[in-house]
Amino acid sequence: MTLTATPGQTVGPFFHYGLAYDGDCVLVPPGSPGSVLLRGQVLDGAGVAVRDALVEIWQTRPDGSVPRDVGSLRRDGWSFTGFGRACTGQDGRYVFSTLVPGAGKPGRPAFFAVTVFARGLSNRLFTRAYLPHDDAALAGDPLLSALPPRRRATLLASRDERGFVFDIHLQGANETVFLRYPGQ
Amino acid sequence: MFRRAPAGPTVRAMSSRARARELEPQSVISSEMAAIESDYRRAGVEETQPRLDYPPYRGSLLRHPTRDPCDVDPEAIERWAPCFGARDVDPLEADLTVGHAGEPVGERVVVTGRVVDGDGRPVRGQLVEIWQANAAGRYVHRRDQHPAPLDPHFTGAGRCLTDGDGWYRFQTIKPGPYPWRNHCNAWRPAHIHFSVFGAAFTQRLVTQMYFPGDPLFAFDPIYQSITDRRARDRLVATYDHGLTSHEWALGYRWDIVLTGGQPTYVEAGELV
């Protein structure tokens, strides 16, 4: 490594007209075969909804492979690009219509890779929203198994009748576990 | 018969002065920033990114994690990035001065540079998105209440894909400084917001590019949330007379370095 990374800065309050686009949070049409909702709320340290946050997801296909299709910005309705972006609403909530990600390797738990941006947040945060249903795989995950139960729980999406729910706490007792990758 | 005067600039300036009395003065913010930078220098450990916990930026107080991030090795999905292609971006989206009925007001500029990884290798075919205020410092956003004029010929959002050598290029107008309510008389230095995708998900970057010599740098807690001067300088474009064109536009060069996550490098289209 010879060059130093460019610093991040907050996304600010006015990102909507620069970053939001039609279909940004619709990776697959709602109600189409295999579609689920991934939704949640972004909250600050006082438990107040963050209405100017941006959440991005990047995920495997249901078979665990990495999508290589273009077209996230102008969706054609049938290609699965694996990338989505959602602005939170006045209530701090975001929602994606997508497919259930598959495990990248057999025996490993599947997750949505998640990036969070917000006014007041000086740099992006990385996290993972793990699917809750495979206990054996979750138990064997090196990241999860290194965490105390309460911290570990912040990385687990919960199942509901329409898909998955994953709340993001930027701060506080239930502060979400955020990630740092090598070289950062 | 007298008509009531419209709520013109004087009335608005007065109500803005009334609101300002509720806010802390610049001197409080400036002394906090100076103390943090002085502590940073004394500690002698280089920082290259902004501090998430930076109290002078008041909006960050309840929005920064208090625990250290967990170190993790990226899995396959995180070693790749979303793919964008010609389908996603119209080449005209790189020119923010077109697409309206007339020319936007302001100083026309070209902003260009290379996106590279930590080893200097180009990040090819990736998405760069920008958004910015107009020449008067006003954003086209319903939450922007700054009483500066909107420009009917300027929206201020653009996109492009980096080329085979990592280059991006936008034509736009230079944004104006912008007031905000972090404290009394808070003004953001002129800046363009950048959103950049790398060769891996782990390299995702959202940042702001500034213009050289801005007198507001010293007063701005967002810029100063990067405590290291050299690191802050990395967000400042360089004026490049070679990029300036005769009777047309001033040229600025700004390169972007994306690191992290040890991405897997393969030729386009090849899967590992």
Side-chain angles (χ1 to χ4, degrees), chain A residues 1-21 44-46 49-52 56 58-60 66-76 81 83 85 90 108-109 111 113-115 117-128 141 143 147 151 170-173 175 177-184, chain B residues 48-52 57 59-67 69-75 77-78 80-85 87-90 93 116-120 127 129 131-132 139-144 155-157 159 178 193 195 197 201-202 204-208 210 222-223 225-226 231 234-235 254-257 259-262 271:
Chain A
M1 194 81 76
T2 54
L3 301 173
T4 305
T6 302
Q9 292 267 266
T10 181
V11 74
F14 303 131
F15 55 82
H16 302 83
Y17 77 92
L19 295 181
Y21 56 90
D44 73 10
V50 177
R51 68 173 192 172
D52 39 20
E56 290 182 348
W58 167 232
Q59 63 165 102
T60 52
V66 177
R68 305 312 295 151
D69 286 350
V70 303
S72 292
L73 293 172
R74 290 189 169 88
R75 300 196 192 273
D76 60 18
T81 68
F83 174 77
R85 176 182 279 172
Q90 292 295 318
R108 296 300 291 272
F111 61 84
V114 177
T115 324
F117 310 86
R119 177 185 67 79
L121 182 58
S122 293
N123 208 349
R124 82 274 172 277
L125 298 171
F126 294 114
T127 188
R128 291 175 180 172
D141 184 80
L143 170 63
L147 292 168
R151 299 281 289 147
L170 298 178
Q171 194 186 82
E175 185 176 302
V177 170
F178 298 105
L179 307 179
R180 178 168 52 208
Y181 300 104
Q184 285 172 340
Chain B
T48 61
Q49 292 290 332
R51 289 192 182 181
L52 300 177
Y57 177 18
S60 74
L61 290 172
L62 289 168
R63 294 186 170 195
H64 68 84
T66 57
R67 297 163 190 262
C70 281
D71 289 303
V72 67
D73 279 328
E75 301 224 350
I77 185 72
E78 294 158 315
W80 291 87
C83 283
F84 299 95
R87 173 185 173 74
D88 291 290
V89 182
D90 186 318
E93 292 182 83
V116 298
D117 70 11
D119 295 318
L127 179 65
E129 296 159 285
W131 68 103
Q132 63 168 92
Y139 285 88
V140 181
H141 192 288
R142 62 193 162 81
R143 284 183 202 157
D144 185 355
T155 304
R159 297 184 184 120
Y178 169 82
H193 294 268
S195 160
F197 288 78
F201 169 80
T202 56
R204 185 81 178 89
L205 176 73
V206 166
T207 191
Q208 302 177 25
Y210 300 91
I222 290 182
Y223 181 68
S225 69
I226 305 161
R234 294 189 182 107
L235 295 182
W254 186 55
D255 293 336
I256 299 169
V257 180
T259 68
Q262 299 161 324
L271 276 173

Side-chain angles (χ1 to χ4, degrees), chain B residues 94 110-116 121-128 160-170 194 240 243 252-256:
Chain B
V110 165
V111 177
T112 183
R114 282 182 83 211
V115 184
V116 298
R121 291 178 289 203
V123 173
R124 300 186 178 106
Q126 263 302 2
L127 179 65
V128 181
C160 72
L161 297 178
T162 56
D163 72 10
D165 207 23
W167 286 91
Y168 72 86
R169 181 185 179 93
F170 291 102
F194 270 71
D240 186 336
L243 291 170
Y252 290 89
R253 169 84 186 260
W254 186 55
D255 293 336
I256 299 169

